[in-house]
Amino acid sequence: SAKVACTVSLKPSTQLRRLEQHRQHIALQTALHIAEREHREHGGKQAARLATEASLRAELHALSERVEAATREVVRGERRAMLLREEVESLRAQELAARRRTADAADVADDAAEATTTDNDEDDGAELGEEDGAAIARLCALGFSHAAALEAYLTCRKDENRAANLLVDRSHAS
């Protein structure tokens, strides 16, 4: 029994058609593979972009909360500063009033002492005229008490400029 090899031979047009179909099938599979790969890559990129956006939104929210907290602290600090300024102004007003009361009391005491000195010592050369009273008033206008101005004026032998310098020097020394 002899084997008969039968070779079926296709027509060249059929072979070409099958080759073309095979080529088209391979091209279609390649395109599909490329499309799937791009979808995976772009899908991954989109997921990464979405994750980045979510992270940035969370960071923005945290920063907004920190800004709000800092703003609240600033407002509290401004309120505290305003209260402290008001307290300082009140203390300054109280200090000024106390200085005025002290100066008034010293002026009354000085006037009484001056009246006693003038009555007892008419010849001591410490008599004050209108010019002297005006000079003492100008020294008081510089911010010194009447008693301090009078003492400096008499110490400097009725020289108004020297008395002013003496008063300024004493005020810087204290």
Side-chain angles (χ1 to χ4, degrees):
S1 74
K3 289 186 177 178
V4 176
C6 189
T7 310
V8 176
S9 138
L10 297 174
K11 294 183 185 177
S13 61
T14 306
Q15 285 179 345
L16 284 175
R17 194 175 60 235
R18 283 190 178 175
L19 278 173
E20 183 60 28
Q21 286 174 348
H22 183 65
R23 188 189 63 74
Q24 286 175 355
H25 178 72
I26 289 176
L28 185 61
Q29 283 181 335
T30 302
L32 181 61
H33 177 67
I34 290 171
E36 286 175 350
R37 186 180 68 211
E38 286 180 4
H39 178 69
R40 280 192 307 268
E41 288 176 3
H42 290 295
K45 287 179 184 176
Q46 185 176 7
R49 185 178 54 84
L50 291 174
T52 302
E53 287 176 4
S55 172
L56 290 174
R57 268 189 251 114
E59 186 177 345
L60 178 62
H61 181 70
L63 288 173
S64 295
E65 287 180 353
R66 287 175 55 195
V67 166
E68 287 175 18
T71 303
R72 285 191 299 273
E73 288 299 316
V74 167
V75 168
R76 281 189 210 122
E78 288 173 350
R79 286 181 188 151
R80 178 77 175 130
M82 184 177 69
L83 292 173
L84 288 173
R85 277 192 294 274
E86 289 173 359
E87 185 177 343
V88 166
E89 289 174 15
S90 172
L91 290 172
R92 284 183 179 159
Q94 291 173 12
E95 177 187 22
L96 183 60
R99 284 182 185 216
R100 285 182 183 153
R101 287 190 305 271
T102 302
D104 290 344
D107 288 346
V108 169
D110 287 344
D111 290 344
E114 184 179 322
T116 304
T117 302
T118 304
D119 291 342
N120 294 337
D121 301 326
E122 292 284 331
D123 298 328
D124 67 352
E127 292 182 30
L128 300 176
E130 287 182 33
E131 232 180 82
D132 298 323
I136 292 171
R138 286 190 294 272
L139 292 171
C140 289
L142 295 175
F144 300 105
S145 70
H146 181 71
L150 177 64
E151 179 188 345
Y153 187 70
L154 293 175
T155 300
C156 294
R157 298 184 184 159
K158 298 183 180 182
D159 184 340
E160 184 178 352
N161 289 328
R162 287 180 54 207
N165 288 334
L166 178 66
L167 288 168
V168 170
D169 290 344
R170 284 181 182 171
S171 70
H172 286 299
S174 31

